[in-house]
Amino acid sequence: MIRGIGVDLIGIARIEEMLENPNFLARFFTPEEQAYVHGRGAAGTQSAAGIYAAKEAMLKALGTGIAPIGLQEVGVTHAASGAPQAALGPKAAARLLELGGERMHISITHAEGMAVAVAIIE
């Protein structure tokens, strides 16, 4: 049974502008996400946009928006295959349980200057 769903769309150019602020990644991305973005080279901006969209989608699926959980409480890791996976901090995990959810699935895609992410709680 689906307990929550969220979707987010963001322009990659917007994230490119945000990345000009040296504090942007540290403020909104986990250390693991920051390392992933830096390791992607020229594709780093696109990856950052996808991760940011996924974080927003996860918070929407949890039904909270950014407050009171926050972007640092939801994260994106990657399976060996490269598939994105949701990583939840304590507050986000507690909210997932409040919703009667057992797990969260995410999907990220990029096309024509945009990044889109979907999060589903089951």
Side-chain angles (χ1 to χ4, degrees):
M1 172 186 270
I2 293 177
R3 304 289 182 171
I5 186 166
V7 65
D8 195 66
L9 169 73
I10 191 162
I12 295 170
R14 180 172 173 222
I15 293 296
E16 188 171 27
E17 289 175 16
M18 293 174 158
L19 286 169
E20 292 175 11
N21 177 341
N23 298 320
F24 173 71
L25 284 178
R27 183 170 178 205
F28 297 111
F29 287 57
T30 66
E32 295 81 10
E33 292 166 335
Q34 293 174 53
Y36 182 80
V37 168
H38 289 304
R40 299 285 292 158
T45 301
Q46 178 177 299
S47 294
I51 291 169
Y52 192 88
K55 290 165 143 323
E56 291 272 358
M58 287 188 269
L59 291 172
K60 290 173 184 176
L62 291 169
T64 63
I66 291 176
I69 293 180
L71 291 171
Q72 286 280 356
E73 269 289 308
V74 291
V76 177
T77 60
H78 293 85
S81 66
Q85 298 176 317
L88 305 179
K91 291 179 186 176
R95 177 66 182 153
L96 178 95
L97 294 176
E98 285 175 20
L99 295 172
E102 295 180 13
R103 68 185 125 286
M104 183 181 291
H105 306 276
I106 60 173
S107 182
I108 302 170
T109 192
H110 317 85
E112 299 183 27
M114 302 299 286
V116 177
V118 175
I120 298 174
I121 296 173
E122 68 168 340

